[in-house]
Amino acid sequence: MDDNKIRSFCINVPNAALDDLRARLGLTRWPDELPGVGWSYGVPAAYVRDLSEYWRTGYDWRRHEAELNGFPQFTTAIEGQRVHFLHVRSPEPGALPLVLTHGWPGSVAEFTQLIGPLTDPRAHGGDPADAFHLVVPSIPGFGFSGPTHEAGWDASRVARAWTELMHRLGYERFGAQGGDFGSVISPELGRAAPDRVVGVHVNALVTPPSGDPDELDGLSGADRERLTGLTRWHEQLSGYAVVQSTRPQTLAYALADSPAGQLAWYADWFAGHGDKVGALDRDAILTNVQIHWLTGTAGSAARFYRENASAWGKERERSPVPVGVAVFAGDSTIRRFAEREHRVVRWTEFGSGGHFAAMEVPDLLADDVRAFFRDLR
């Protein structure tokens, strides 16, 4: 794909691919595990076995495929890379264009519960003046954008691709929102096109301390708890990020060949490392897993960590555009750290939700997105 055309897209997975998946799940070779260690060594076998069996015998891909196909979908090529996206226009003529960006190990399926309330608030008990035209792309290397074919597709390049995508769609003024890696890509949009991006809203934002001990003076009790959570992630939970940022190709063989292996690798993050097992609906977990399985992109999605590894821990240019931050339960987001890189004008803390707020508490996230952009339209 070397042209700039935008083509309609429809998900249509062959039955043979679904049969192959079920057969592979039925032939899984299960590892042993130590007794009594719970989640401390990784995802317990009982959890993966149960979810795998539901995937094999109970999960209805066709239902979720039809739900995704209920949204207008398209593909185009940007810098030689296929880009898949949902484009859902609001019935409200004054709606603000908004790019929603997912993270890892997610996909555009993260946002299915958010699309209706944001595009048509009138139909969901909201103010029609808060409506958005939504563009929801698959990050290059993820899902229906297919694998990347060259190095260099880091967050900054993805942000530049999003600005080109919005230009092709005729949106010269727009907002951005994202969580997880979407909270990295979305601010990059503001840096790439500050004259076009009216504001950036993020959740699951992580900004580490600078290393200056004075920065830690006077932190609130809640912030110190978040700092402890960030330390715990580094010391106990960051193995997936270390592997994917250093040796993603080695991991890719297991992800490409074993659906149970890919399920365990993804479920360790989706399930909350044992802290919040059950917070996400298992169909929501499996839809994101299945998209990467069917498209063969688990390995290329893992490479995104390698592409971004050189920027980890480095100070970014402070975003010149207004930034709104939503902090949900369990997020390790500290305002003092965030303000080094972002012009924070709205900061909201919630007692519920979690890392995957668009799937866990879509109503809370939608309300905060609306409130942030209300004065930026």
Side-chain angles (χ1 to χ4, degrees):
M1 296 174 65
D2 295 322
D3 57 66
N4 296 344
K5 290 182 179 178
I6 293 176
R7 296 173 169 83
S8 294
F9 178 81
C10 182
I11 306 168
N12 186 17
V13 175
N15 286 329
L18 303 180
D19 293 340
D20 174 74
L21 170 59
R22 284 189 287 267
R24 286 172 181 264
L25 288 169
L27 294 172
T28 300
R29 293 179 60 190
W30 296 103
D32 70 309
E33 64 179 342
L34 295 174
V37 298
W39 285 73
S40 64
Y41 278 60
V43 192
Y47 179 86
V48 183
R49 280 179 178 269
D50 178 68
L51 195 54
S52 176
E53 183 61 14
Y54 173 68
W55 193 11
R56 188 178 73 86
T57 62
Y59 172 77
D60 183 359
W61 163 254
R62 294 300 185 197
R63 179 168 70 85
H64 296 285
E65 181 184 69
E67 181 183 25
L68 287 168
N69 282 335
F71 303 113
Q73 298 179 69
F74 305 88
T75 62
T76 190
I78 300 176
E79 297 186 25
Q81 172 65 42
R82 172 188 170 101
V83 173
H84 160 266
F85 61 98
L86 314 183
H87 184 199
V88 187
R89 289 186 59 82
S90 171
E92 306 297 338
L96 176 69
L98 180 67
V99 187
L100 297 180
T101 305
H102 63 85
W104 183 91
S107 69
V108 295
E110 287 187 40
F111 298 113
T112 53
Q113 298 179 76
L114 210 57
I115 291 173
L118 290 183
T119 57
D120 193 2
R122 187 193 302 268
H124 292 80
D127 185 343
D130 290 331
F132 297 93
H133 299 308
L134 293 184
V135 178
V136 190
S138 298
I139 297 171
F142 288 67
F144 301 108
S145 282
T148 49
H149 302 290
E150 61 178 354
W153 276 100
D154 61 5
S156 296
R157 188 174 180 184
V158 172
R160 294 194 300 271
W162 283 187
T163 63
E164 171 61 21
L165 176 61
M166 296 302 276
H167 173 70
R168 291 184 192 179
L169 295 173
Y171 298 137
E172 295 304 321
R173 183 175 180 273
F174 56 91
Q177 198 285 329
D180 190 86
F181 255 122
S183 74
V184 178
I185 294 168
S186 299
E188 288 298 318
L189 268 165
R191 296 182 179 99
D195 56 331
R196 297 175 59 194
V197 178
V198 302
V200 172
H201 183 280
V202 293
N203 62 286
L205 175 71
V206 176
T207 307
S210 65
D212 179 357
D214 291 341
E215 190 179 50
L216 307 181
D217 289 345
L219 286 179
S220 68
D223 280 344
R224 291 198 174 274
E225 285 185 19
R226 294 184 183 111
L227 187 58
T228 299
L230 189 60
T231 301
R232 176 175 177 254
W233 179 85
H234 278 290
E235 294 178 350
Q236 302 177 27
L237 307 173
S238 62
Y240 73 96
V242 174
V243 172
Q244 293 185 161
S245 63
T246 56
R247 310 298 289 171
Q249 186 61 34
T250 303
L251 172 67
Y253 302 101
L255 297 179
D257 190 59
S258 170
Q262 184 191 319
L263 175 62
W265 192 252
Y266 281 23
D268 193 22
W269 195 235
F270 276 133
H273 306 288
D275 298 332
K276 294 179 65 179
V277 176
L280 281 181
D281 175 78
R282 59 183 179 174
D283 273 42
I285 294 174
L286 288 172
T287 298
N288 283 284
V289 173
Q290 177 121 334
I291 285 172
H292 289 99
W293 174 260
L294 293 172
T295 56
T297 55
S300 60
R303 284 201 298 267
F304 197 57
Y305 278 76
R306 180 69 175 83
E307 301 294 348
N308 288 281
S310 63
W312 286 13
K314 293 184 178 179
E315 282 289 314
R316 291 182 173 88
E317 174 189 356
R318 195 166 188 263
S319 175
V321 303
V323 173
V325 182
V327 184
F328 291 94
D331 284 346
S332 298
T333 309
I334 298 172
R335 181 165 188 166
R336 184 181 301 178
F337 302 165
E339 288 183 332
R340 294 198 317 267
E341 299 181 0
H342 308 284
R343 184 158 71 90
V344 178
V345 300
R346 180 181 173 85
W347 184 275
T348 316
E349 298 183 9
F350 296 91
S352 59
H355 189 81
F356 298 99
M359 294 190 286
E360 295 178 61
V361 285
D363 291 345
L364 292 180
L365 181 57
D367 285 346
D368 202 61
V369 171
R370 291 169 181 160
F372 169 70
F373 283 103
R374 196 164 288 145
D375 295 328
L376 300 173
R377 291 173 174 269

